[in-house]
Amino acid sequence: GSSNVDAGIPTGTIIGVYEHDDNCLTDSETDADGTANCMANCLQPGTNLVASAYCLYSSSTFLVLTLGNGVYMFTLDENIGEFVLAKPNVKIPETSSIISFNEANIDKWDKPMKDTVYNWREGKGASKQRFSSRYIGSMVGDVHRTLLYGGVFGYPGDTKNVNGKLRLLY
């Protein structure tokens, strides 16, 4: 969503936390072994995360956090300068009719992906419900809405970006 900052569209930060590795202690910037250990510690698979979160910057500032068992949503209270628990045990609604994909790229998707989206739009999916599109173009904003209202968020691979285009790091 960084290209949306100038337009005032919600943006955010995603956060992943791994266990601290005692081998990741360095005495100086020239400690090559320590630096390599720290890099290896940072480049773990997501399945090793012990916590993850995102911060959404919009009309309010939200911090959404999981420690692996439940999701908790906090809202920044600017009067006290702290995040206050707003929604404990957040769950994605089981039924929804919202899809959040950059459909401007649909002509570049593979046939199964195109067919799936067309079927959702036409009410020919498993739920037989017609889906409508809601796409901000800011991953944290789109994921936040999906978490609150349900639906499907994705950025599928296409002929230009075969692995999709979610940037996890700048």
Side-chain angles (χ1 to χ4, degrees):
S2 61
S3 61
N4 292 323
V5 171
D6 290 347
I9 293 178
T11 58
T13 302
I14 55 175
I15 304 157
V17 180
Y18 296 101
E19 286 283 344
H20 173 68
D21 182 350
D22 289 335
N23 294 321
C24 186
L25 298 175
T26 60
D27 291 331
S28 70
E29 292 181 19
T30 58
D31 181 359
D33 290 337
T35 300
N37 286 334
C38 289
M39 187 62 79
N41 193 51
C42 291
L43 299 175
Q44 298 180 55
T47 54
N48 291 352
L49 288 168
V50 295
S52 61
Y54 66 81
C55 219
L56 174 69
Y57 317 110
S58 184
S59 58
S60 295
T61 301
F62 298 94
L63 173 65
V64 181
L65 168 74
T66 183
L67 301 173
N69 188 15
V71 176
Y72 305 89
M73 185 177 297
F74 300 84
T75 305
L76 179 63
D77 184 330
E78 294 183 12
N79 293 320
I80 62 173
E82 294 181 11
F83 283 95
V84 177
L85 182 62
K87 292 181 184 249
N89 200 26
V90 178
K91 298 207 184 283
I92 297 174
E94 296 216 13
T95 58
S96 178
S97 58
I98 300 170
I99 54 175
S100 183
F101 290 73
N102 184 355
E103 293 181 58
N105 294 328
I106 199 165
D107 292 336
K108 299 174 188 165
W109 297 347
D110 63 22
K111 183 171 176 15
M113 188 74 238
K114 285 182 197 178
D115 290 346
T116 298
V117 171
Y118 290 142
N119 285 338
W120 283 339
R121 281 198 219 154
E122 296 167 15
K124 296 178 182 174
S127 70
K128 304 297 183 210
Q129 207 173 3
R130 292 181 81 106
F131 279 59
S132 61
S133 296
R134 302 282 184 273
Y135 182 72
I136 300 170
S138 166
M139 186 200 81
V140 173
D142 284 311
V143 167
H144 188 74
R145 185 195 50 249
T146 302
L147 184 61
L148 292 175
Y149 304 120
V152 181
F153 167 75
Y155 206 119
D158 59 32
T159 56
K160 184 177 175 187
N161 298 289
V162 294
N163 294 316
K165 194 182 154 194
L166 293 179
R167 288 171 285 204
L168 299 179
L169 184 64
Y170 286 90

